[in-house]
Amino acid sequence: MLEVGMKAPDFQLMNQEGKEVSLSEYKGKKVILYFYPRDNTPGCTKQACGFAELYPQFQEKGAVVLGISKDSVTSHQKFKEKYQLPFTLLSDPQLQAIQAYDVWKEKNMYGKKVMGVVRTTYLIDEEGMIVKAFDKVKAANNPQQMLDEI
């Protein structure tokens, strides 16, 4: 996990519409950058819907929400439509941002060691600096936790 006080690594990833998005586009805004394992899984759906429910409050506080997983653009598009998610989902199949933000870790899945995304959320300030970092977050609580932080 990256440390508080570090410059957040920039990235260029495709959003759910196949358009390239970079972190630097959001300079001047607070960014909630959350990494999650997979679209349409129970925890990830709960987390995404929680961010969607609180999204107007994030906007009031001048913050944007960006979700990143290694799912495809098509998967993100379907996930976003299915749950009417009002924020951007970014596809990182090459693990560009996932590795830059140090969230690709060994995990235990049913007794087997596998590599995967550890659910992690960063709060990045208007200047692109990491001001909060949370790893192994609880999917259901994370959206409210982040709203409380900003």
Side-chain angles (χ1 to χ4, degrees), residues 13-31:
L13 298 173
M14 295 293 179
N15 71 6
Q16 68 281 344
E17 292 152 8
K19 293 188 182 122
E20 195 169 88
V21 173
S22 65
L23 180 63
S24 54
E25 289 173 34
Y26 296 97
K27 193 168 170 72
K29 289 186 175 273
K30 292 181 187 87
V31 176

Side-chain angles (χ1 to χ4, degrees), residues 126-141:
E126 295 85 347
E127 300 304 312
M129 302 301 286
I130 296 171
V131 291
K132 295 283 180 178
F134 301 95
D135 67 343
K136 299 179 186 148
V137 297
K138 298 216 179 318
N141 303 338

Side-chain angles (χ1 to χ4, degrees), residues 16 34 36 38-56 71 74-89:
Q16 68 281 344
Y34 83 96
Y36 66 99
R38 287 199 54 192
D39 291 340
N40 289 304
T41 56
C44 297
T45 300
K46 196 171 283 192
Q47 187 178 23
C49 289
F51 276 120
E53 190 178 310
L54 298 174
Y55 194 68
D71 290 308
T74 305
S75 175
H76 280 346
Q77 190 175 35
K78 289 177 183 168
F79 188 49
K80 185 176 167 90
E81 285 171 11
K82 184 175 181 179
Y83 295 101
Q84 284 121 35
L85 304 176
F87 53 88
T88 300
L89 297 176

